[in-house]
């Protein structure tokens, strides 16, 4: 999983790739619970680039895309949002996989 470092990177990935943006924060206990299964999910879906975004460092991206709970996932393909799994609720591996499988 790649770590987002700049807003320019966000726009580049969002506009030019099949990406799943994972919004997280170091203080988020529900994020810590799913972190160990994310590499398995990433392996299962090689057609996507997975990007980890620390919401505390990129709050303006969160506001712009209505991401007000974490952990959350946004999917983009060539600049268009293709799906969102956004809430403050804990997510299971099965729920994340189901979300990705349902992307158009």
């Amino acid at each position: 999983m790649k770590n987002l470092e700049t807003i320019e990177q966000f726009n580049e990935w969002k506009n030019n790739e099949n990406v799943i943006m994972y919004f997280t924060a170091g203080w988020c206990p529900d994020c810590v619970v799913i972190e160990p299964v994310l590499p398995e999910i990433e392996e299962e879906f090689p057609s996507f680039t997975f990007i980890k975004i620390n919401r505390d460092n990129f709050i303006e991206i969160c506001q712009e895309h209505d991401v007000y709970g974490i952990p959350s996932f946004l999917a983009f393909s060539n600049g268009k949002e293709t799906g969102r799994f956004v809430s403050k609720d804990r997510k299971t591996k099965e729920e994340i996989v189901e979300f990705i499988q349902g992307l158009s």
Side-chain angles (χ1 to χ4, degrees):
M1 184 169 300
K2 298 177 179 181
N3 285 305
L4 183 69
E5 296 175 13
T6 66
I7 291 175
E8 291 75 23
Q9 274 184 328
F10 176 84
N11 291 323
E12 180 71 22
W13 281 323
K14 179 181 90 167
N15 291 324
N16 298 304
E17 295 193 35
N18 249 0
V19 292
I20 296 183
M21 308 287 193
Y22 163 54
F23 292 84
T24 185
W27 50 263
C28 168
D30 293 336
C31 301
V32 172
V33 168
I34 63 168
E35 294 264 340
V37 301
L38 292 177
E40 298 168 26
I41 294 171
E42 206 171 348
E43 273 184 45
E44 198 172 326
F45 297 96
S47 62
F48 288 95
T49 301
F50 287 77
I51 311 298
K52 182 177 184 178
I53 301 174
N54 183 322
R55 60 136 340 254
D56 292 339
N57 297 338
F58 295 99
I59 196 71
E60 59 282 338
I61 291 175
C62 294
Q63 292 170 336
E64 184 179 324
H65 294 282
D66 296 321
V67 176
Y68 294 109
I70 54 172
S72 285
F73 297 85
L74 287 183
F76 292 93
S77 181
N78 298 316
K80 294 190 179 185
E81 185 179 307
T82 56
R84 61 178 32 237
F85 188 15
V86 175
S87 71
K88 63 178 176 36
D89 300 326
R90 180 174 285 184
K91 287 142 185 84
T92 66
K93 177 182 178 183
E94 293 75 23
E95 289 172 325
I96 298 165
V97 167
E98 189 176 303
F99 159 70
I100 298 169
Q101 288 172 336
L103 296 172
S104 53

